[in-house]
Amino acid sequence: VQLQASGGGLVQAGGSLRLSCAASGRTFGSYTMGWFRQAPGEERNFVSAISAGTFSTYYADSVKGRFTISRDNSKNTAYLQMNSLKPEDTAVYYCAAVRGSYSDDVKKYNYWGQGTQVTVSS
């Protein structure tokens, strides 16, 4: 699976962005899709995931109620709608894929996109 993330940019606090993650391959529906983010000098951290099959969704506490993850298997694409953005959301956002069940462990994900920068100004 090859992943291509897009949709990042510069936005003011309180604004919104929608990230997309386009995947290659015919087995997209078999993968749990996750979003992670990494700020300068920090580790890569879990943001959200959507499972294969049941489309169950999971969120880090810091983004619950503000971010929404979704997927369209017919388009081999996952999305992350980010609302009410805060300066602390500033990071490079990565989409990732793992075959099968949900995980929030960065080490479990086998496939990664190239990252897209999100900058939230105060």
Side-chain angles (χ1 to χ4, degrees):
V1 176
Q2 291 185 321
L3 304 176
Q4 179 89 23
S6 62
L10 173 64
V11 64
Q12 289 188 332
S16 299
L17 284 173
R18 187 194 197 202
L19 305 184
S20 298
C21 178
S24 65
R26 300 180 181 178
T27 58
F28 176 75
S30 300
Y31 291 83
T32 287
M33 299 300 298
W35 287 96
F36 293 77
R37 65 187 182 187
Q38 187 167 19
E42 297 186 10
E43 294 182 347
R44 193 170 298 187
N45 293 315
F46 172 77
V47 174
S48 183
I50 184 166
S51 65
T54 63
F55 286 24
S56 297
T57 58
Y58 308 87
Y59 299 94
D61 288 344
S62 59
V63 306
K64 276 181 186 174
R66 299 188 298 122
F67 291 12
T68 302
I69 192 170
S70 61
R71 65 191 296 162
D72 185 339
N73 285 357
S74 70
K75 296 181 179 179
N76 279 13
T77 303
Y79 305 96
L80 185 68
Q81 177 67 43
M82 306 186 296
N83 298 329
S84 301
L85 282 160
K86 304 176 181 180
E88 51 264 43
D89 294 319
T90 295
V92 178
Y93 283 69
Y94 296 90
C95 63
V98 57
R99 197 171 183 92
S101 302
Y102 154 76
S103 174
D104 62 1
D105 185 348
V106 65
K107 299 181 185 67
K108 296 287 181 67
Y109 284 76
N110 311 102
Y111 304 98
W112 290 86
Q114 83 286 6
T116 184
Q117 176 71 47
V118 171
T119 303
V120 185
S121 63
S122 57

